Amino acid sequence: MTPLETLQIDTGDNPQTSIIWLHGLGASGHDFEPVVPEFRFSREQPVRFIFPHAPELPVTINGGMVMPAWYDILAMDVDRKVDAEQLRASAAMVAELIRAERERGVASENIILGGFSQGGAVAYELALSYPERLGSLFALSTYFATADTIELSEANRKLPIFIGHGRFDPIVAESLGQAALRKLQDLGYEPEFQSYGMEHSLCLEEVRDLDAFLSRLTSGDR
């Protein structure tokens, strides 16, 4: 398994909290680098942000063009036809980043996993199946691609989850985010869902809400 290249930003010395944030299709780990200074919670304590770069893959819906992708998207139908094997392979690569953080002394329950769009689909798969308790999951402008095949981990049955979605998203319709919410609720999770007046993007209001969510968790107020 080829290790993922990553961008790392530490907001202080010896962080005991790590956030692994996966970007979307055709992007890179640098995509959300500018968001880090907007967070208040990570100014109050040292936090390590890890932004992996997805491998280069041919993407069917883009005419087979090779680009950074966590998995191939075969069709842009209502439910998204994706290469689930590639998605799980990417989840396994990200799991190696979690293992590396554990080896650096960060407890698994202090490791937070999140993602945008494609990255969020991988984050769903990994966080909900990971065998040791994680800190939380955030899923932005994304969908639960492996909802019907995932093998849920008992360790993360009470995982705090934040879902954010744009009401005017033309790429990943808000209905897909709402479908993920309903599926999670059916499985016994209690996600927080927020929608915003934006398209397939991130907005300051969403950053503020995510900041508050992460602040509650990292301050121990669960």
Side-chain angles (χ1 to χ4, degrees):
M1 184 184 300
T2 304
L4 292 170
E5 295 184 6
T6 64
L7 166 68
Q8 177 181 312
I9 301 173
D10 291 1
T11 66
D13 296 331
N14 191 31
Q16 294 303 303
T17 298
S18 297
I19 296 179
I20 302 173
W21 190 332
L22 311 181
H23 63 75
L25 177 65
S28 78
H30 293 283
D31 243 30
F32 297 106
E33 180 181 2
V35 180
V36 173
E38 300 296 331
F39 286 122
R40 295 190 180 97
F41 83 96
S42 54
R43 295 199 294 267
E44 296 169 355
Q45 61 182 301
V47 175
R48 175 175 296 129
F49 288 86
I50 298 171
F51 299 102
H53 306 296
E56 299 276 334
L57 298 173
V59 177
T60 300
I61 60 165
N62 289 339
M65 184 182 300
V66 175
M67 62 181 61
W70 297 109
Y71 52 86
D72 190 15
I73 299 177
L74 306 172
M76 291 286 281
D77 53 11
V78 173
D79 294 320
R80 287 290 190 287
K81 191 177 295 183
V82 308
D83 189 320
E85 185 176 340
Q86 284 182 345
L87 188 156
R88 286 189 287 269
S90 287
M93 287 190 285
V94 179
E96 286 299 298
L97 299 179
I98 296 177
R99 182 187 60 79
E101 286 308 288
R102 304 241 13 240
E103 290 181 351
R104 295 167 92 174
V106 180
S108 66
E109 60 266 28
N110 292 335
I111 298 174
I112 295 165
L113 188 61
F116 177 86
S117 198
Q118 257 208 351
V122 175
Y124 271 133
E125 169 67 24
L126 177 55
L128 299 180
S129 66
Y130 196 72
E132 298 180 15
R133 185 163 68 91
L134 297 175
S136 64
L137 164 67
F138 59 91
L140 311 177
S141 302
T142 189
Y143 50 98
F144 194 176
T146 53
D148 295 329
T149 59
I150 192 168
E151 296 183 10
L152 297 173
S153 160
E154 288 303 317
N156 286 301
R157 278 290 190 170
K158 296 187 180 298
L159 187 69
I161 303 171
F162 176 93
I163 303 173
H165 218 110
R167 290 191 291 274
F168 311 116
D169 193 330
I171 307 298
V172 180
E174 186 187 9
S175 60
L176 290 174
Q178 292 170 338
L181 171 66
R182 290 192 297 272
K183 181 65 176 182
L184 290 165
Q185 290 171 332
D186 289 344
L187 292 170
Y189 297 93
E190 298 179 358
E192 175 182 335
F193 184 93
Q194 301 287 351
S195 63
Y196 306 93
M198 63 179 185
E199 295 191 353
H200 195 60
S201 184
L202 197 67
C203 66
L204 188 57
E205 183 184 359
E206 183 176 31
V207 172
R208 293 285 178 258
D209 288 343
L210 181 57
D211 185 25
F213 172 80
L214 294 173
S215 180
R216 290 196 301 272
L217 296 173
T218 56
S219 68
D221 181 15
R222 294 171 188 261

